[in-house]
Amino acid sequence: MRAEFLSAERASLSMDAGPRLSDERAGSLRSALAVPLDDVTGYVVAAGAPEGRWPVSLGIRVDFLRDPPSQGRPMRITGDLIERDGRGGTTRGDVFDADGRRIAIVVQRSHLVSVPTRPTSRVHQPARPPESVSLRGALEIAEPAPGLVVMPPIPLAANGMDNVHGGILLCGAEFAAMSSIDARGDWRATSVDINYLRPVSALDTTTFAADVVHRGRSTAVVRVLVSTAIGKAGAIATVTLQHGS
């Protein structure tokens, strides 16, 4: 990802297409777009935050309109402020392909927390994995049972506070949802709505457990509970999937 513009009202960055946006199990990992969308919308709130305050996401709702490109020219990702107050802000983000077609839309709600200094992860940041490595492989995702996904402690998943990046938690929710219905490339996530309940440390194992609420011939709705290493709920996501989308 490359930052292009940032202000307290708007931000933009670009992201290369590549195998990272594909998945060997589900065909396309649409939720990989949640990482830059979380960043670009959060940057806007951070840019307008007072000294000693930093935004933390309360929730993200992302709708996917089509698969991200696995090759070709870079995508453009924008974030815009919707509303700001003394407690935090609400922002909207969009992803466009190189031809200007909208790929995904996000709305993020953030609140401000007190911090002594601007967050910078203490975790050793590894070298960027080769483009040939999928996000599933880079995160060392394991599936010990259908609908159960486990991510080990991994620096790649950390944000500036040494917690698992909110976009990575959303990715894990899609992995678990796809696993729960045994998707094999013929299902796509059309939306993910995730609420963040408490920080999830990137220094510990994170578990994603899926519960299929509904499965029909064309649509499935899956609830995913994200748990910390000590079994506390870190986030709850609702993933809507469509067959053949």
Side-chain angles (χ1 to χ4, degrees):
M1 293 184 291
R2 294 173 295 279
E4 297 178 338
F5 176 80
L6 173 62
S7 74
E9 303 291 329
R10 183 173 172 80
S12 65
L13 54 82
S14 62
M15 179 180 181
D16 291 333
R20 197 71 48 80
L21 301 173
S22 300
D23 184 66
E24 52 263 36
R25 182 186 183 101
S28 174
L29 184 63
R30 292 181 170 185
S31 62
L33 296 174
V35 175
L37 280 170
D38 185 6
D39 283 346
V40 77
T41 50
Y43 292 163
V44 173
V45 180
E51 189 71 24
R53 305 276 278 171
W54 190 258
V56 175
S57 180
L58 289 171
I60 292 176
R61 161 77 188 209
V62 58
D63 288 278
F64 303 104
L65 309 181
R66 52 179 51 88
D67 287 344
S70 59
Q71 58 184 348
R73 293 173 292 167
M75 293 170 285
R76 181 170 60 92
I77 303 168
T78 61
D80 293 279
L81 181 70
I82 297 175
E83 189 67 42
R84 186 196 307 276
D85 58 28
R87 295 176 298 174
T90 301
T91 43
R92 170 186 166 135
D94 296 88
V95 182
F96 301 91
D97 68 15
D99 295 317
R101 296 184 303 171
R102 185 176 278 107
I103 298 172
I105 306 166
V106 71
V107 173
Q108 176 169 195
R109 295 172 291 109
S110 303
H111 74 285
L112 297 173
V113 297
S114 297
V115 292
T117 59
R118 184 184 180 90
T120 301
S121 178
R122 298 182 302 276
V123 175
H124 168 66
Q125 294 298 313
R128 180 187 175 95
E131 286 296 329
S132 59
V133 177
S134 69
L135 191 58
R136 179 188 292 269
L139 295 175
E140 301 177 15
I141 294 295
E143 290 184 16
L148 182 63
V149 164
V150 176
M151 184 177 70
I154 186 165
L156 183 66
N159 63 16
M161 293 182 172
D162 292 337
N163 297 316
V164 179
H165 191 290
I168 296 295
L169 293 180
L170 198 147
C171 287
E174 184 186 354
F175 283 135
M178 290 292 186
S179 172
S180 71
I181 62 169
D182 193 27
R184 297 183 182 276
D186 52 352
W187 289 81
R188 293 290 187 273
T190 56
S191 68
V192 181
D193 196 338
I194 186 167
N195 291 288
Y196 301 102
L197 309 179
R198 58 170 49 85
V200 178
S201 175
L203 305 177
D204 296 317
T205 297
T206 306
T207 302
F208 304 82
D211 176 35
V212 179
V213 178
H214 166 79
R215 178 170 181 173
R217 286 179 294 182
S218 61
T219 304
V221 179
V222 182
R223 178 179 178 271
V224 180
L225 176 64
V226 183
S227 299
T228 67
I230 59 174
K232 290 190 175 182
I236 299 175
T238 299
V239 184
T240 302
L241 305 160
Q242 190 169 13
H243 187 267
S245 177

